[in-house]
C-alpha cells in the first residue's frame, strides 16, 4: 500500500496557533489588561429568528412517521435550489435548477470540485490567499503559479497573457484582503479564461457584504462567464451558518461535461445536507429572513466602517471594510506583520492577524475583521487613535 | 484545462431507475393493485425522542448570542467523540479520542479516505458490492480486483494469498447480502492485511443490527487490526439519520502517518458536522436514547425475521435477515434476478431489488429489506406463501 506522497509537500500553517500562543503568554504576564480580538474570522451574531423557527419546524417533522425525511437528493432539495435560483434572479442572473448543488459549505466544495480535473493542470492562485486553495492542490500534486496581489494593483491582480493557467481561483470580495473586483475587471478574467480554455473557481462567500449595485455579487453577472466559471458560495458569512454548515455550488450547463461529472461525483461521494439545515437555509431567503440577516450584516458592516474610518483618520493605508468584513492595512513605520502584531498587543492589547500568514505578499500587512462586538470594535479603535492619531 | 478522464470509465447504474420505471408502468396498467415495496434501502421510522429533544435544545442555543456556535472543530466536538469512545468501550474496544473523526456520513468518508492513498494501489472489492466502493476508485483511476462472494462461501469471501491487494473493502453486516463475518473469519483478513501491508476499509454501517455477542461490531475487536484497518460507521441505520447526516471514521494511531494525514485532509477539505446534528448524535448514546433507538431496531429486526421465516417455510435459499436489515435470497426455479423481479411484481405486487444490480455474482439473487412497515411486511409475506408455499 502506498500513501499519497503529495501530502509530504504540505507545509504546516502555524498562523493561528502562533497568534493564540502569543496572546496566551501576554495574558499570563498581564492579567489585568483587557484584550480585544479583531482577528476573528468567524461570525458571532446568533442565527436569525426565521432560520431558528424553520429549523424547529423541521426537527418536529423528523419526529413523526408521516413527515420524517430519510435520504434526500444528493444535490439538495428542490425547495432550497428554487430559493437560490430566485436569489440569483434578483441579481439578474438566470440559472437552471440543475446547475445548483447544495453543499455542506464552500470549503468542502472548493476542495472536492478538484476531483473533476486532471492532475496535470496548472493552477493560478493570488498571493496573499486563503490557504485552502493552495493546500488542496498540493494534495493532488498540481503545479501552482502564484500571481502577485499587492499595493500597486490594490490587491486585485489582473490576467497575465504570458501565463497559461488551467484553473484560476478568484475570491471577491476577497479573503484576506477585502478587495473587490469591478465588473470590467472580472470581464478581463472571463475573457482570459475563455481564450485559454481555463476554468475560474469563483469564491463568492462574502458577496452578501456588497453594498453597491455596480459591484457584481456573482461571476455570472459577467458576459461569457457561463462557459468558463464555477461559483462556490456559502451561508456561513451571509447568515451566520459557520456552525450550521450549508453552501452551494453553481456548475453551468454550458461548460462541456462538468455539470454531469459534478452530479456524478456528488451522488457517489456525498449524501446531501441535513434536511433540517436545508429548511434553515431556505428561510434565509424568506421575506422576514432576508430582512433579519441584513440586520446582522449591517451590524458587521458598521463595525467595518468604524475600523476603516479610524484607519483613515490615522492615515494608515488600507483596503476592504467596504463590501467586506475584512480590513487589510499596511503596517505603519515599515513594521513587518509580526512586529506590528506585537506592537498592537503590547501597547493597546488589540489582536489582529499578521498578513504574512497568507503568503509572501502579505508581509508588511495586517488583517482586522468586523466580526467582533460593536462595543469592542469602538474600544479598539479608540485605542488605535491614541496610539496612531 | 483537462478533465479527469477516469470519469469516462464510470458505468451508469440503472438499477433503481429501472425498478422505478417498471413499477410505474405496472401501476399505470393495474391501478387497482396494491404494491408493497420491500426494496427500500432507507429507514422509515422517525427519529427517537431523545434525539429530537437534543436537536431542539441545540437550535435554541444557536438563537442566543451567549450560546451560539460558529465554526466547530473539523474532526467533531469532544462531547460526541467521547460518547463514541464510550460506545466502543462497551464492545471491549479502547480508542483514543484523536482516532475518532465525526463525519457527515459513511458515504462521504468512504470516498474521501481514498485521498490519502496513491493512485497506484490495487483495490479488492467483493462482488456483489455496494457500488460506491467501485465508483470512487474508478474516479481515481485505480486498479480494481473483484473477489467472488457466492453461494459456495455463503457470500463471505476469504483472503486469497495469491492476490496482492493494497486496499480491501469489507462490509459486515453486508450490504447487499446481509452476510456477517465471524471473529475468526475477520482475523484471517486482518492477518492477510498485516502480512501484505494492506489497509482494510471496514464499513460497519449496519453493526447496530447485530444480535449476538459473539459477532464483532467493530474490526477493532480483532487482534492486530489497529495496524491495518480504518473503520467507517454511521448513524444512518443505527438511529435513522439518513436525512440527518452524521457518521464517524476511526483512523488508528498505529498505522504510520495515516491519522495525521486524515486530520490534515479533513481540516483542509471539510468544516465539520452541524452543531445541531452532533448534539442529536450525542443523544443516541444517552440512556434513554440508546433504549429508544433499540425499539426502532427491534421493529426492523422483527420485519427481517418475518421475511426470513417465510422464505424458510417456502424453502427459498437465503442469507441475512439476522444481524442485518437485508435478506438475500436465491431466485426460485433458476430465474434470473430481473425475471424474478417481474414475476413478483406481476403475481403478488411485491417489489424488491434484483441482485444482478450489485455485480455479476448477484445474478440469480434478490434483495428484500426490513425497512417497510410491519403491516406491509406481513401482507407481502402472506402473498409470498400463497405463491411459493
Amino acid at each position: 500500500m502506498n500513501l499519497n506522497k503529495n501530502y509530504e509537500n504540505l507545509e504546516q500553517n502555524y498562523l493561528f496557533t502562533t497568534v493564540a500562543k502569543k496572546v496566551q503568554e501576554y495574558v499570563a504576564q498581564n492579567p489585568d489588561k483587557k484584550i480585544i480580538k479583531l482577528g476573528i474570522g468567524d461570525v458571532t451574531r446568533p442565527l436569525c429568528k426565521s432560520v431558528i423557527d424553520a429549523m424547529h419546524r423541521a426537527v418536529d417533522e423528523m419526529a413523526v412517521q408521516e413527515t420524517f425525511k430519510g435520504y434526500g437528493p444528493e444535490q439538495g432539495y428542490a425547495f432550497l435550489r428554487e430559493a437560490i435560483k430566485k436569489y440569483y434572479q434578483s441579481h439578474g442572473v438566470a440559472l437552471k435548477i440543475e446547475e445548483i448543488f447544495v453543499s455542506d459549505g464552500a470549503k468542502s466544495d472548493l476542495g472536492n470540485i478538484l476531483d473533476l480535473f486532471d492532475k496535470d493542470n496548472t493552477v493560478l492562485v493570488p498571493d496573499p490567499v486563503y490557504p485552502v486553495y493552495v493546500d488542496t492542490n498540493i494534495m493532488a500534486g498540481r503545479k501552482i503559479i502564484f500571481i502577485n496581489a499587492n499595493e500597486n494593483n490594490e490587491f486585485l491582480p489582473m490576467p497575465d497573457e504570458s501565463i497559461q493557467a488551467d484553473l484560476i481561483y478568484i475570491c471577491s470580495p476577497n479573503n484576506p484582503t477585502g478587495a473587490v473586483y469591478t465588473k470590467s475587471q472580472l470581464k478581463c478574467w472571463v475573457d482570459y479564461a475563455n481564450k485559454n480554455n481555463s476554468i475560474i473557481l469563483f469564491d463568492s462567500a462574502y458577496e452578501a457584504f456588497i453594498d453597491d449595485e455596480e459591484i457584481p455579487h456573482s461571476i455570472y453577472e459577467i458576459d461569457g462567464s457561463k462557459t468558463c466559471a464555477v461559483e462556490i458560495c456559502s451561508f456561513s458569512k451571509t447568515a451566520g451558518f459557520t456552525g450550521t454548515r450549508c453552501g452551494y455550488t453553481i456548475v453551468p450547463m454550458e461548460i462541456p461535461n462538468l455539470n454531469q461529472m459534478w452530479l456524478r461525483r456528488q451522488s457517489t461521494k456525498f449524501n446531501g445536507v441535513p434536511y433540517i439545515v436545508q429548511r434553515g437555509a431556505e428561510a434565509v431567503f424568506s421575506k422576514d429572513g432576508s430582512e433579519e440577516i441584513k440586520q446582522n450584516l449591517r451590524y458587521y458592516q458598521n463595525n467595518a466602517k468604524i475600523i476603516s474610518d479610524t484607519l483613515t483618520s490615522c492615515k494608515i493605508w488600507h483596503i476592504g471594510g467596504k463590501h467586506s468584513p475584512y480590513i487589510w492595512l499596511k503596517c505603519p513605520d515599515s513594521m513587518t506583520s509580526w512586529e506590528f502584531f506585537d506592537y498592537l498587543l503590547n501597547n493597546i492589547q488589540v489582536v489582529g492577524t499578521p498578513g504574512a500568514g497568507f503568503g509572501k505578499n502579505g508581509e508588511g500587512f495586517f488583517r482586522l475583521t468586523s466580526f467582533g462586538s460593536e462595543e469592542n470594535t469602538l474600544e479598539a479603535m479608540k485605542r488605535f487613535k491614541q496610539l496612531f492619531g
Side-chain angles (χ1 to χ4, degrees), chain A:
Chain A
M1 175 273 303
N2 296 311
L3 293 174
N4 178 350
K5 287 184 193 62
N6 297 313
Y7 274 63
E8 294 169 15
N9 301 323
L10 289 166
E11 283 173 32
Q12 255 330 326
N13 191 324
Y14 295 106
L15 178 61
F16 291 101
T17 41
T18 309
V19 166
K21 203 176 147 212
K22 277 178 177 273
V23 172
Q24 209 174 2
E25 284 168 6
Y26 183 86
V27 170
Q29 285 164 19
N30 304 274
D32 55 319
K33 301 279 190 182
K34 193 203 162 191
I35 304 274
I36 298 178
K37 293 186 183 174
L38 293 187
I40 189 166
D42 193 0
V43 295
T44 52
R45 310 283 298 163
L47 294 180
C48 70
K49 187 175 180 304
S50 296
V51 170
I52 293 292
D53 290 349
M55 292 204 293
H56 274 309
R57 284 195 302 271
V59 171
D60 283 334
E61 285 185 68
M62 297 299 276
V64 180
Q65 179 97 45
E66 289 69 29
T67 51
F68 172 77
K69 299 284 182 299
Y71 290 119
E74 285 96 348
Q75 62 273 48
Y77 278 100
F79 63 76
L80 179 52
R81 298 165 88 196
E82 288 288 356
I84 294 166
K85 187 181 158 182
K86 273 188 198 156
Y87 177 68
Y88 272 80
Q89 269 167 1
S90 74
H91 296 130
V93 173
L95 296 177
K96 294 183 191 73
I97 190 115
E98 304 80 40
E99 296 176 317
I100 302 165
F101 295 80
V102 176
S103 78
D104 65 330
K107 192 177 170 193
S108 302
D109 274 13
L110 279 162
N112 294 338
I113 195 89
L114 295 172
D115 280 14
L116 309 191
F117 301 100
D118 196 85
K119 178 187 161 297
D120 293 324
N121 283 299
T122 298
V123 179
L124 192 71
V125 292
D127 173 348
V129 67
Y130 176 44
V132 162
Y133 304 162
V134 177
D135 290 349
T136 51
N137 280 293
I138 290 176
M139 286 172 176
R142 285 198 191 83
K143 185 184 165 191
I144 299 170
I145 299 175
F146 290 94
I147 186 162
N148 291 321
N150 52 36
E151 209 181 334
N152 295 333
N153 56 29
E154 294 204 304
F155 289 89
L156 293 169
M158 296 302 294
D160 176 345
E161 291 291 344
S162 70
I163 295 173
Q164 168 61 37
D166 300 307
L167 302 175
I168 301 163
Y169 285 87
I170 299 177
C171 177
S172 177
N174 189 266
N175 175 18
T177 71
V180 193
Y181 281 109
T182 63
K183 280 186 186 172
S184 61
Q185 287 172 321
L186 285 180
K187 177 66 176 154
C188 296
W189 278 110
V190 165
D191 289 345
Y192 170 91
N194 278 321
K195 190 177 157 194
N196 290 279
N197 187 31
S198 329
I199 295 287
I200 293 172
L201 300 171
F202 190 79
D203 181 347
S204 62
Y206 298 92
E207 60 85 18
F209 285 84
I210 292 171
D211 209 7
D212 177 340
E213 283 186 12
E214 284 306 303
I215 293 176
H217 287 252
S218 162
I219 189 77
Y220 304 119
E221 295 179 48
I222 313 302
D223 281 346
S225 58
K226 286 222 180 149
T227 50
C228 68
V230 168
E231 182 160 303
I232 293 127
C233 197
S234 167
F235 294 93
S236 283
K237 306 298 160 71
T238 302
F241 270 50
T242 52
T244 305
R245 311 302 319 137
C246 197
Y248 51 89
T249 291
I250 315 293
V251 186
M253 291 294 182
E254 284 88 337
I255 305 174
N257 300 314
L258 209 65
N259 183 285
Q260 283 187 342
M261 286 174 72
W262 183 240
L263 176 60
R264 188 65 197 255
R265 193 268 169 211
Q266 293 298 81
S267 310
T268 305
K269 291 192 176 187
F270 184 58
N271 234 329
V273 170
Y275 173 72
I276 297 159
V277 170
Q278 292 192 59
R279 281 294 183 197
E282 180 194 24
V284 168
F285 298 108
S286 67
K287 193 168 169 292
D288 288 347
S290 58
E291 199 41 59
E292 289 160 11
I293 62 156
K294 269 182 205 139
Q295 285 177 26
N296 282 341
L297 288 165
R298 276 194 286 263
Y299 184 94
Y300 298 133
Q301 284 165 330
N302 183 53
N303 285 345
K305 190 173 183 319
I306 292 167
I307 297 171
S308 179
D309 287 351
T310 304
L311 296 178
T312 301
S313 78
C314 296
K315 297 191 173 54
I316 297 176
W317 186 96
H318 66 283
I319 54 170
K322 262 190 118 170
H323 320 305
S324 166
Y326 299 123
I327 296 93
W328 183 253
L329 64 90
K330 189 175 178 182
C331 305
D333 302 326
S334 302
M335 276 188 263
T336 68
S337 298
W338 281 107
E339 284 169 355
F340 188 64
F341 176 91
D342 291 333
Y343 186 73
L344 286 187
L345 180 60
N346 291 323
N347 287 285
I348 57 171
Q349 296 79 50
V350 170
V351 177
T353 311
F358 299 102
K360 75 172 172 56
N361 289 323
E363 182 56 279
F365 291 86
F366 202 78
R367 191 186 79 173
L368 297 174
T369 87
S370 63
F371 290 125
S373 70
E374 185 181 354
E375 187 195 349
N376 281 344
T377 305
L378 283 168
E379 170 63 24
M381 289 304 107
K382 203 175 108 189
R383 298 182 191 176
F384 248 77
K385 270 189 188 160
Q386 284 164 356
L387 194 62
F388 300 106

